[in-house]
Amino acid sequence: MALLSATADLPSRLVSPTIRRLPNGLTVIAEQMPLEVVNLSLWLRVGSAVESDAINGMAHFLEHMIFKGTQQLQCGEFERRVEERGAFTNAATSQDYTKYYITTAPQDFVALAPLQIQMVMAPRLSDDDFERERPVILEEIRRADDNPRRRTYARTMELVFDRLPYRRPVLGPTAVVENLTPAQMRTFHGTWYQPQSMTAVAVGNLPVETLIATVAEGFERAMAQRTALDAADLMERFKPLMPGDLESPFAEVRRAVHHDAALAQARLVMAWRVPGVAQLDDTYGLDIVASILGRGLTSRLVRDLREDRKLVTGISCSNMTLAHQGVFMVSAQLPPENLAVVEAAIAQHIATIMAEPVSTAELRRVQTQVANRFIFANETPSDRAGLYGYYHTLTGDIADGLNYPTYIQKLGVEEVLQAAQSYLSSQAYGVVALQPAA
């Protein structure tokens, strides 16, 4: 079977990746880059969002178990080989994806990359390893619960989403993780860890054909080592969301107040339901609004509430773009007695940015920042692999990431105003307040 291959038609002279789809369905993105390092990142569109409530936390637990070895590699052998060559490996799980990556010297890539692929695609997943790792996962959940920033985020997601799986923690709740089984994990891995649902990105100082061949051969060998999936043990699969499944904007102020004995200062989060990656074109104006309101010392909220009026000790704004739906958030750390006045002040800033076009100077500042951050954030093979992997996994097209500065540069003040008016409100939003216990 012929391989499908193309050099991406991209506007930037900074990049020239080759994209190739292998007969087994795996997409490989490869680029030679003149730095003496190679990064291989394996991306799956598998995160906590694909889990049922009964197995919430499985994707993250599996990420840990991947490193417990294969039938050919004993637990710890992969890390030993990586470390003795001065290489580095790690992984991460989110709501929408899981990624595994290794960074190595070019001369070591052919030796180490197939081992990483073997670990991901043909892990041992033994009962004994599973039970030894479960307390580690439970401790990680406990530490997350003890972290004020993560508690605030969890409370916010629970308030913002009523139905979508983004309301659940990536790590899963203790009560669920305590009851997960090795058989469930083996089924989860066999169901979701398939080449056709993966993107392998290899960037560094080796010829593109060497990068692609190494990845292709590694997958062929790893897939030959897998055991067949037990069809009788298939779990409930996550059903792809349709537009009608998205949650409507808030119709009024929805408020949640929590008392937190660990806090010395209060936390305030105001949130709006906004478009996600599924409606990518609608997100760019909101990205600009978030930067104008709360990114940098000259942003409106920082200048007004922190620098001038000193009502908060910290404040920021972000437009979090998840696969199906996003969250526009303003987050502040402040004395508890200032909660009401700060909420009112933020609402007034939202009202203002919905009523009056931003200044040309503010827009140009953000556009310059975006263009420069893009250049600075894509200087290394790891950076470049992350960009390609993220966008190909979530949108199917790396041009969405590479063209991001161009999209931002094209927006005018009227389009930014339209974005604010379409998705924000000064009278309808979610608000989470965490107060120090009395």
Side-chain angles (χ1 to χ4, degrees):
M1 182 182 298
L3 303 180
L4 300 179
S5 181
T7 299
D9 181 17
L10 302 167
S12 174
R13 297 179 182 177
L14 296 174
V15 298
S16 57
T18 294
I19 304 171
R20 188 167 299 174
R21 189 170 177 85
L22 303 184
N24 63 7
L26 176 72
T27 297
V28 183
I29 303 174
E31 182 180 24
Q32 185 165 9
M33 193 174 179
L35 293 174
E36 290 307 302
V37 65
V38 181
N39 177 274
L40 173 64
S41 296
L42 305 178
W43 288 75
L44 302 98
R45 189 165 179 170
V46 179
S48 60
V50 306
E51 302 163 348
S52 65
D53 288 346
I55 60 165
N56 182 201
M58 181 66 81
H60 171 256
F61 198 156
L62 176 57
E63 175 213 309
H64 279 238
M65 289 294 294
I66 290 295
F67 290 91
K68 298 305 175 184
T70 70
Q71 295 302 327
Q72 288 72 36
L73 292 170
Q74 291 303 306
C75 183
E77 176 67 13
F78 173 62
E79 289 90 336
R80 185 188 66 78
R81 296 193 194 186
V82 167
E83 290 177 3
E84 71 183 9
R85 293 174 183 259
F88 176 77
T89 186
N90 211 334
T93 305
S94 77
Q95 293 101 329
D96 292 319
Y97 63 82
T98 304
K99 66 173 180 177
Y100 301 87
Y101 56 96
I102 185 171
T103 301
T104 178
Q107 65 268 23
D108 296 324
F109 180 74
V110 173
L112 294 179
L115 301 182
Q116 185 200 32
I117 294 168
Q118 181 187 143
M119 296 281 288
V120 172
M121 300 306 294
R124 184 168 55 238
L125 302 182
S126 74
D127 290 9
D128 288 344
D129 288 338
F130 186 94
E131 295 304 337
R132 280 193 290 267
E133 192 65 20
R134 193 198 308 264
V136 177
I137 303 295
L138 294 173
E139 174 62 16
E140 189 171 346
I141 294 171
R142 188 194 65 76
R143 285 190 281 109
D145 291 342
D146 284 345
N147 183 299
R149 180 181 59 81
R150 297 183 71 165
R151 279 201 304 277
T152 303
Y153 175 79
R155 300 286 195 188
T156 301
M157 298 300 276
E158 288 172 359
L159 178 80
V160 169
F161 293 110
D162 295 324
R163 294 176 291 102
L164 295 187
Y166 298 133
R167 72 185 314 277
R168 303 179 316 208
V170 172
L171 302 183
T174 295
V176 172
V177 172
E178 285 177 337
N179 289 291
L180 295 177
T181 69
Q184 287 176 317
M185 178 171 287
R186 286 189 284 268
T187 299
F188 187 90
H189 180 271
T191 301
W192 293 106
Y193 279 52
Q194 298 289 343
Q196 61 268 28
S197 60
M198 298 180 66
T199 302
V201 189
V203 180
N205 201 10
L206 285 174
V208 164
E209 292 305 321
T210 299
L211 295 170
I212 293 175
T214 302
V215 171
E217 292 166 9
F219 267 83
E220 185 176 347
R221 291 198 297 270
M223 294 304 292
Q225 298 168 9
R226 286 170 66 124
T227 55
L229 181 66
D230 182 1
D233 194 32
L234 285 174
M235 66 183 63
E236 177 184 353
R237 300 191 186 194
F238 177 73
K239 297 177 181 179
L241 292 169
M242 301 300 289
D245 293 321
L246 301 182
E247 302 195 26
S248 301
F250 290 111
E252 57 187 7
V253 175
R254 177 185 291 187
R255 190 178 306 278
V257 178
H258 303 276
H259 294 277
D260 195 321
L263 294 180
Q265 285 198 314
R267 303 289 194 276
L268 176 71
V269 180
M270 296 170 64
W272 293 258
R273 295 169 178 157
V274 297
V277 173
Q279 302 164 277
L280 199 59
D281 288 347
D282 294 330
T283 68
Y284 303 123
L286 291 171
D287 287 351
I288 289 178
V289 172
S291 290
I292 288 172
L293 284 176
R295 183 158 190 161
L297 291 175
T298 58
S299 64
R300 295 184 181 185
L301 293 173
V302 174
R303 188 176 61 245
D304 177 26
L305 299 180
R306 194 186 78 180
E307 301 301 313
D308 293 347
R309 290 201 268 173
K310 304 189 186 310
L311 293 171
V312 302
T313 55
I315 190 165
S316 63
C317 186
S318 62
N319 183 40
M320 183 172 65
T321 308
L322 299 167
H324 300 289
Q325 192 160 17
V327 186
F328 189 95
M329 287 191 287
V330 178
S331 305
Q333 185 172 328
L334 65 165
E337 61 269 21
N338 293 347
L339 279 166
V341 67
V342 168
E343 180 183 337
I346 294 170
Q348 182 56 54
H349 276 282
I350 295 294
T352 298
I353 208 164
M354 292 174 60
E356 304 169 6
V358 302
S359 71
T360 301
E362 283 181 306
L363 179 58
R364 292 288 174 261
R365 172 178 65 83
V366 171
Q367 290 172 329
T368 299
Q369 288 173 342
V370 166
N372 288 340
R373 282 200 302 266
F374 177 81
I375 294 172
F376 300 154
N378 288 287
E379 293 182 328
T380 72
S382 296
D383 295 334
R384 201 76 62 86
L387 176 74
Y388 298 159
Y390 176 84
Y391 278 96
H392 192 271
T393 299
L394 293 189
T395 76
D397 190 352
I398 65 173
D400 289 325
L402 294 167
N403 284 322
Y404 180 78
T406 302
Y407 299 146
I408 295 295
Q409 298 291 336
K410 287 181 178 178
L411 293 182
V413 294
E414 291 300 325
E415 288 144 313
V416 174
L417 179 64
Q418 180 63 41
Q421 292 174 340
S422 297
Y423 298 109
L424 303 181
S425 169
S426 61
Q427 298 178 324
Y429 50 83
V431 57
V432 176
L434 277 75
Q435 302 184 22

